[in-house]
Amino acid sequence: MDDIDYAAARFVEARSTAQGLADYPGRLPESLDAAYRVQQKAIAGWSDRVVGWKVGRIQPHLVGLLGAERFIGPVFAQTVTKAGATNYFPAFLGGVAVFEAEVMISAAADAPTDKQDWTAQEASALVAAMNVGIEIAGSPLASINELGSLVTIAGFGNNNGLFVGPEILDWRERDWQNLICMVRIEGEVIAEASAAAVLGGPLEAFTFALGEAARQGRPIRRGDIVSTGAITGMHVVTIGQRCVATFGGVGDIDCEVIPAVAQPHAERGCAR
């Protein structure tokens, strides 16, 4: 078993058993290609289907080296939930959990399978809706954030699900500077920022995801959801904490952090 296969198998095993990983499994990936190869192998080993993507930022000191500012990670069907009054945010024991308030974009139609370069105008025509939401960022690998963007990509993109909140009905006319998000953890205001804090704005992140998903051989399909990036930053949370994101004029999403539970998987997943 080579480094790619071994890392992917260990990520699948750790996620399925909800057990923490003390160290990265094997040799660290040294390129975007290697990191995405681990991610794709892990997707193929997971039993759930991909229904979207999270978009994250490449660490600034790696942008020049890797030639990219963003990356994508898979979102699986069983981890997407419509936000309710209280939302249970799973955290891996021995791993890491990160609360991220985001704008989420759903696709109105299948993207062409061979189209890897998109303009924002073209991407806009493919938007079905925009919603506020929470990315359940997290991994069994506790050091994933410290080990860098390539490890984040390899480890399922550090995504463990989405809570999809109220719809942003006026997104085509909205100035993103006017959508203010405030995050509170245990009642304390941790951060506040506008949706314009996302590099280029949410639509630019969606535009990137359309191209990158096609490059990875998994073009976005109708109904897929893209979580476009953390508005107020990455907030590490622990089991038992209450976390609330308030999106001014749109709505609140209230979460309680609970232990993640084991998830069944198969050696060959339903990856499309």
Side-chain angles (χ1 to χ4, degrees):
M1 183 180 291
D2 65 16
D3 288 335
I4 302 294
D5 289 336
Y6 177 69
R10 291 290 289 121
F11 277 124
V12 169
E13 180 184 22
R15 202 165 266 242
S16 67
T17 59
Q19 297 296 312
L21 283 172
D23 300 295
Y24 183 85
R27 186 170 60 181
L28 298 178
E30 297 179 350
S31 67
L32 278 175
D33 177 67
Y36 277 121
R37 284 171 64 199
V38 176
Q39 184 186 111
Q40 291 297 333
K41 284 277 189 177
I43 291 171
W46 196 248
S47 60
D48 200 3
R49 63 191 178 92
V50 175
V51 295
W53 301 92
K54 64 83 60 76
V55 176
R57 292 284 303 274
I58 298 287
Q59 292 170 303
H61 71 281
L62 293 176
V63 168
L65 178 65
L66 300 179
E69 292 184 308
R70 294 180 165 101
F71 67 86
I72 60 171
V75 174
F76 295 104
Q78 293 180 20
T79 68
V80 178
T81 305
K82 182 178 180 181
T86 301
N87 305 282
Y88 296 104
F89 187 111
F92 293 103
L93 292 172
V96 65
V98 184
F99 183 87
E100 297 184 8
E102 313 209 357
V103 171
M104 297 177 182
I105 301 179
S106 54
D110 292 354
T113 59
D114 58 350
K115 184 174 175 59
Q116 298 182 8
D117 297 304
W118 290 76
T119 66
Q121 183 175 7
E122 290 170 334
S124 178
L126 207 70
V127 175
M130 292 196 188
N131 295 68
V132 297
I134 300 298
E135 180 190 350
I136 307 168
S139 173
L141 179 59
S143 59
I144 193 167
N145 295 320
E146 288 73 43
L147 291 175
S149 301
L150 293 177
V151 170
T152 298
I153 293 168
F156 285 102
N158 200 29
N159 176 266
N160 196 30
L162 307 175
F163 293 122
V164 182
E167 186 174 355
I168 306 168
L169 297 174
D170 60 347
W171 67 267
R172 291 188 185 274
E173 297 78 35
R174 180 179 282 274
D175 180 347
W176 291 114
Q177 292 280 0
N178 296 329
L179 178 55
I180 305 299
C181 176
M182 181 176 66
V183 169
R184 288 171 289 159
I185 298 177
E186 291 295 287
E188 178 183 352
V189 176
I190 299 299
E192 187 172 355
S194 76
V198 174
L199 179 66
L203 185 60
E204 286 292 338
F206 182 63
T207 303
F208 168 79
L210 285 165
E212 190 59 48
R215 280 187 286 275
Q216 298 304 319
R218 299 176 180 277
I220 286 174
R221 293 181 174 179
R222 179 181 178 182
D224 281 359
I225 299 173
V226 173
S227 193
T228 60
I231 296 171
T232 62
M234 301 167 58
H235 309 296
V236 175
V237 294
T238 57
I239 292 168
Q241 288 188 317
R242 182 185 174 194
C243 316
V244 181
T246 298
F247 299 87
V250 180
D252 297 351
I253 302 178
D254 191 330
C255 298
E256 179 183 338
V257 186
I258 63 170
V261 297
Q263 303 175 57
H265 78 286
E267 288 302 316
R268 293 188 61 188
C270 304
R272 62 183 193 215

